[in-house]
Amino acid sequence: MSIHRGSEDLSAKPELEAQLQQIERATSAQDAEFKRREARVVAKLDLYICPILIVLQLISFLDRGNIGFAATQGMITDLHLVGTQLNTAISLFYPLYILSEFPAALIVKRVGFNRVIPAAASCWGLVCLGNGFAKSFGDLAACRLLMGMFEGFLMPSLTLMLANWYKREEIGLRISYLFIASAISSAFSGVIAYAILFMDGKAGYPGWRWLYIIEGSVTVVIAGICYFIIPSSYTTAYFLNESDRAVMRKRAELTEAYSGGKGHYTRAEFMMTVKDVKTWIHTLIQIMCLTVMYGFSVFLPIILRFGFNFSVEQSQYLSIPVFFWGSLVYAAGGYLSDHFSRRFLACILCTPFGVVGYAMLLGGAHLAVGVKYFACFLIATCVWMMGGANIAWLSTNSAPDGKRAASLGLAFALGNLGGIISGQIYPQTMAPAYTLGHAWSLGAICISFCSWWVLRYIYYRRETLKEEVREGRNTEPSEFSDRATTYKYQH
């Protein structure tokens, strides 16, 4: 009897193995089919979602940064600005910008991306348009304050919207699009400012007023369009069919299972953010990065005009290739960082170029203007890469969703203290050398470089502690976060 049962077991074993192999093949086929469908959906997102966000980021930086070009076209004289009033006006953009960013990060998903983003864009567009009719420093200051308050809603909203549509291994490249847009906007500002020089005197308005009027009007129109084309979620997206929505549903389930949460913050998740040292290190770095980025992007036309002694026209069009180069570098860096999931290298490899560039400007009184202009390209190599790579690193290493929202909100809000600083480090009284601005920016790059090494140590140390938990030598945290053993940091 036992012999007969044994023979049955032996005959059943190959059949069981065949069934298991069949199941594995079916699973593999299903996975392969899902990957193909997912790739098509991601391509649709890149086609319909990313361009909207890129355009919004581009016009945002156009509207805030055109003050540098306006200053070279006669705004200082027409508004009777004296002393450091121009620098004060530049810095006034950021106090309300900072105060609005953090609450924006916390409420935007609840209120709706399709409501918050168009409303904010409409408001700052109207303010930008009004800036074209300013008569005094007080008018300019009021416009800068209001523009900062409304623009503060944009960057955290765009970043969290990307996190809402893309998986964590996809988001670094898409966040890079936002910083590429900021670099391209600086190049476009040069093109637009140069073109608007030919409108000087039309209808009795100087060219710099037309710069604000035209750009503000365009922003209002784009905001109106965005109200109709930004979807509230993937369930109502006009460009997705039912098969695509099924894929998005599966992606959302996978993201929720890995990252935890449903996108809404809680007090516990906020406290996780505040108590996590990496949040504050990333935020410190972001302050340094944005000091350099805002200082360079706003003041480059002024540096070319009053520092290198180029004409008004030359200072407009010579800024274009510098900004365009910065956008190309960041596009390549963002793609490679995502492709290889290497965040640390994306941060530190660009910094030596900025160090050399600012060192050349600081010690280059004897250098030819062409050499100093080349130094601007070296600086552009690192300026946008630094801030974008730092934010992408923080975003991919924060969980659950509520903690990610709070972390990004803090990094964006406090990081924009760099905007206030950048407005004060390039006073006209220090032309043509601008020693304070160049030295401060050089120091900010060096602080960022050192801090990224500290972060690298922290992330590797935490992965070691997770391994100890897996081996039973330590205890698992009671609440899910990026400290959980199932969550792997990107380095």
Side-chain angles (χ1 to χ4, degrees):
M1 187 73 178
S2 62
I3 295 174
H4 177 68
R5 184 172 298 175
S7 63
E8 284 182 344
D9 291 342
L10 288 172
S11 63
K13 188 174 182 180
E15 183 180 346
L16 179 60
E17 290 179 350
Q19 289 175 350
L20 290 173
Q21 290 174 359
Q22 186 177 358
I23 291 171
E24 288 176 359
R25 285 194 297 269
T27 303
S28 299
Q30 290 173 356
D31 288 345
E33 175 61 23
F34 177 78
K35 290 294 183 184
R36 285 192 292 270
R37 292 168 58 198
E38 185 179 34
R40 288 195 296 269
V41 170
V42 171
K44 281 189 176 183
L45 299 183
D46 288 341
L47 182 63
Y48 288 96
I49 294 294
C50 285
I52 302 170
L53 307 192
I54 290 170
V55 169
L56 286 165
Q57 181 76 346
L58 190 148
I59 62 174
S60 164
F61 271 79
L62 279 175
D63 293 345
R64 81 175 69 169
N66 55 20
I67 190 171
F69 291 100
T72 66
Q73 292 187 11
M75 184 185 72
I76 295 175
T77 302
D78 292 348
L79 297 187
H80 311 292
L81 303 182
V82 295
T84 60
Q85 284 185 329
L86 173 64
N87 301 84
T88 301
I90 291 172
S91 294
L92 281 175
F93 175 89
Y94 295 99
L96 295 183
Y97 185 98
I98 292 169
L99 292 176
S100 62
E101 275 196 310
F102 186 66
L106 296 180
I107 69 169
V108 65
K109 194 164 183 179
R110 291 187 174 185
V111 177
F113 300 106
N114 58 320
R115 297 187 182 94
V116 172
I117 294 174
S122 297
C123 291
W124 92 65
L126 289 171
V127 174
C128 180
L129 191 156
N131 210 148
F133 300 96
K135 301 295 184 183
S136 64
F137 169 71
D139 296 341
L140 177 64
C143 287
R144 293 290 293 178
L145 278 168
L146 289 173
M147 188 182 296
M149 180 177 70
F150 294 124
E151 281 202 30
F153 281 81
L154 185 68
M155 190 60 177
S157 298
L158 298 186
T159 305
L160 290 172
M161 185 172 173
L162 286 173
N164 197 52
W165 287 86
Y166 290 94
K167 293 159 70 174
R168 78 191 285 258
E169 60 268 24
E170 300 165 347
I171 197 173
L173 178 62
R174 278 74 188 185
I175 287 178
S176 77
Y177 294 162
L178 303 182
F179 284 84
I180 292 167
S182 68
I184 292 176
S185 74
S186 299
F188 268 118
S189 289
V191 174
I192 294 169
Y194 181 70
I196 287 178
L197 280 175
F198 298 99
M199 292 190 65
D200 191 44
K202 299 291 183 181
Y205 290 140
W208 70 267
R209 292 190 183 277
W210 283 114
L211 184 65
Y212 281 112
I213 293 169
I214 292 172
E215 289 187 3
S217 300
V218 170
T219 298
V220 172
V221 171
I222 292 174
I225 295 171
C226 286
Y227 180 79
F228 296 99
I229 63 176
I230 294 179
S232 59
S233 70
Y234 68 84
T235 59
T236 59
Y238 62 92
F239 54 86
L240 297 180
N241 56 37
E242 286 305 317
S243 175
D244 297 333
R245 292 190 181 99
V247 173
M248 287 298 297
R249 194 175 302 112
K250 180 66 174 176
R251 283 162 57 89
E253 291 170 359
L254 292 172
T255 300
E256 182 181 335
Y258 187 79
S259 298
K262 298 182 181 294
H264 301 317
Y265 69 94
T266 64
R267 185 177 185 279
E269 289 165 343
F270 176 75
M271 294 309 298
M272 282 186 202
T273 302
V274 173
K275 293 177 181 178
D276 195 337
V277 66
K278 71 175 170 60
T279 301
W280 298 107
I281 298 176
H282 276 292
T283 299
L284 170 65
I285 294 171
Q286 199 65 11
I287 295 172
M288 300 297 108
C289 293
L290 294 187
T291 298
V292 179
M293 189 182 83
Y294 290 143
F296 187 72
S297 61
V298 172
F299 285 98
L300 180 62
I302 296 172
I303 293 169
L304 295 176
R305 175 71 180 91
F306 302 108
F308 297 176
N309 204 31
F310 286 118
S311 67
V312 173
E313 293 82 2
Q314 288 172 328
S315 66
Q316 311 290 302
Y317 65 71
L318 285 177
S319 64
I320 297 169
V322 177
F323 293 136
F324 187 67
W325 169 249
S327 65
L328 285 179
V329 170
Y330 187 48
Y335 170 77
L336 293 173
S337 174
D338 253 21
H339 184 72
F340 295 103
S341 297
R342 290 290 181 266
R343 308 300 176 185
F344 172 70
L345 290 177
C347 292
I348 64 161
L349 290 181
C350 63
T351 52
F353 295 96
V355 170
V356 173
Y358 278 115
M360 290 171 65
L361 294 183
L362 280 170
H366 62 288
L367 296 177
V369 171
V371 177
K372 290 192 283 188
Y373 182 58
F374 172 72
C376 295
F377 282 89
L378 294 178
I379 294 168
T381 303
C382 87
V383 163
W384 286 275
M385 191 70 206
M386 288 172 59
N390 182 59
I391 282 295
W393 199 6
L394 173 62
S395 177
T396 56
N397 283 350
S398 297
D401 289 344
K403 182 180 179 182
R404 181 183 297 113
S407 298
L408 291 175
L410 278 176
F412 283 127
L414 297 182
N416 277 292
L417 288 171
I420 298 176
I421 297 169
S422 67
Q424 302 302 311
I425 59 178
Y426 283 101
Q428 282 298 96
T429 54
M430 299 202 73
Y434 293 109
T435 304
L436 175 61
H438 298 330
W440 195 295
S441 298
L442 175 60
I445 293 174
C446 293
I447 291 171
S448 300
F449 182 83
C450 296
S451 300
W452 278 318
W453 281 97
V454 174
L455 278 172
R456 182 176 184 269
Y457 169 79
I458 290 172
Y459 285 129
Y460 274 103
R461 175 60 182 159
R462 288 186 178 182
E463 286 298 332
T464 301
L465 293 174
K466 291 178 184 181
E467 188 60 34
E468 292 178 0
V469 172
R470 294 186 192 102
E471 295 173 356
R473 291 183 289 142
N474 212 330
T475 57
E476 179 87 18
S478 57
E479 294 182 319
F480 176 82
S481 72
D482 49 76
R483 304 292 294 270
T485 56
T486 54
Y487 194 99
K488 183 173 176 57
Y489 289 122
Q490 290 187 1
H491 305 110

